[in-house]
Amino acid sequence: MAWMDGSRTVAGRTSLGDVIAHLGRHRPVFHSEADLQHSFARALWELSPDVHSRLEVPQQAGGSAEHLDLLCIGPSTRTAIEFKYFTRRWRGTVGAPTEDYALKGHAAADLARLHFVRDIARLERFCRRSDQNGLAIMLTNDPSLWTPPGIGRGQTRDRDFRIHQGRELVGTLLWAEGAHKPNTCTLRGAYPLDWKPYSELDGAGGEFRYLAVSVGPSPEETDDGPSQV
């Protein structure tokens, strides 16, 4: 296979599934994407204290500096992580200690799909070290993201960027059949999509699921130089 699928181990120490399960027991819902990032880093530290987490780390890719949501540095390997937290309206009081949550409804699910696919492409650029894999993680309570489109649904501009259960992302993805070229996204890997349950809370919008895509280093482009600037 031209592209190696990265493992779902974070910094070579803990499986992503274990981190998510630990996180879900303590934080079934989050106030914001930044809250999710920080909480994930804390959960990882609780499971693997020898893994160091850094938020908003500059990465050198294609001659320009970009920022990575979270870099997890283990004794011998690293994991680059991009997060997306897309929500519909939900209100409730949960957790220990209990907290009040008032999630906003994010419009434009099509753009959520676009940005998630772009995260995967970014990780393909970032993971050029032989000791670094990547993870793109989406957490949401919006079923439209994991549910396949209905039969007979007309053309939508984000058709190539659909991320529903069972889909595979591969090759060049066109926005509006190529009418808006800046949104064209080309992936070098092939990524089957499998949504997993995260938490089940009371009320409409209380079901949360997550999608994780694992990215490995490209054999053709891997170098052992630092990916940070």
Side-chain angles (χ1 to χ4, degrees):
M1 192 165 58
W3 184 268
M4 296 187 302
D5 182 29
S7 75
R8 289 176 179 251
T9 300
V10 181
R13 307 300 281 181
T14 306
S15 75
L16 175 63
D18 286 345
V19 180
I20 293 291
H22 182 74
L23 185 61
R25 285 192 292 270
H26 299 276
R27 295 296 309 278
V29 63
F30 303 91
H31 297 288
S32 65
E33 189 172 293
D35 184 22
L36 168 60
Q37 294 169 7
H38 178 269
S39 299
F40 183 97
R42 179 180 175 85
L44 176 60
W45 177 81
E46 290 173 348
L47 293 174
S48 298
D50 58 347
V51 174
H52 302 274
S53 296
R54 304 289 184 260
L55 293 163
E56 293 296 320
V57 180
Q59 302 283 297
Q60 190 68 36
S64 62
E66 301 180 66
H67 283 81
L68 173 70
D69 286 344
L70 185 68
L71 180 64
C72 306
I73 307 170
S76 60
T77 61
R78 301 174 173 214
T79 298
I81 305 180
E82 292 283 350
F83 294 92
K84 286 292 178 284
Y85 185 51
F86 186 84
T87 59
R88 58 180 289 192
R89 288 184 182 274
W90 183 85
R91 289 179 176 270
T93 302
V94 294
T98 57
E99 294 182 65
D100 295 329
Y101 291 85
L103 302 187
K104 296 180 179 179
H106 292 144
D110 55 348
L111 295 182
R113 299 182 183 100
L114 171 66
H115 294 154
F116 182 74
V117 174
R118 281 181 168 174
D119 278 351
I120 299 171
R122 280 159 51 85
L123 289 170
E124 288 186 340
R125 296 197 300 272
F126 295 162
C127 294
R128 299 191 177 200
R129 299 171 55 121
S130 60
D131 63 348
Q132 182 165 302
N133 69 319
L135 290 166
I137 300 172
M138 163 81 81
L139 178 63
T140 184
N141 64 339
D142 188 338
S144 70
L145 293 179
W146 66 70
T147 304
I151 297 175
R153 181 177 172 83
Q155 292 278 12
T156 59
R157 62 179 183 172
D158 67 329
R159 184 182 65 171
D160 284 3
F161 292 80
R162 288 275 172 173
I163 57 173
H164 53 264
Q165 176 66 27
R167 176 106 198 281
E168 181 178 71
L169 297 173
V170 63
T172 297
L173 309 178
L174 303 178
W175 187 263
E177 299 183 294
H180 189 59
K181 294 187 183 302
N183 284 356
T184 297
C185 190
T186 299
L187 301 175
R188 287 171 293 203
Y191 304 100
L193 306 181
D194 186 20
W195 287 84
K196 303 289 188 183
Y198 180 73
S199 63
E200 189 77 39
L201 306 176
D202 292 336
E207 180 184 6
F208 286 79
R209 298 188 189 184
Y210 77 94
L211 174 64
V213 169
S214 179
V215 176
S218 166
E220 292 84 4
E221 298 187 19
T222 298
D223 64 59
D224 293 320
S227 59
Q228 294 174 252
V229 296

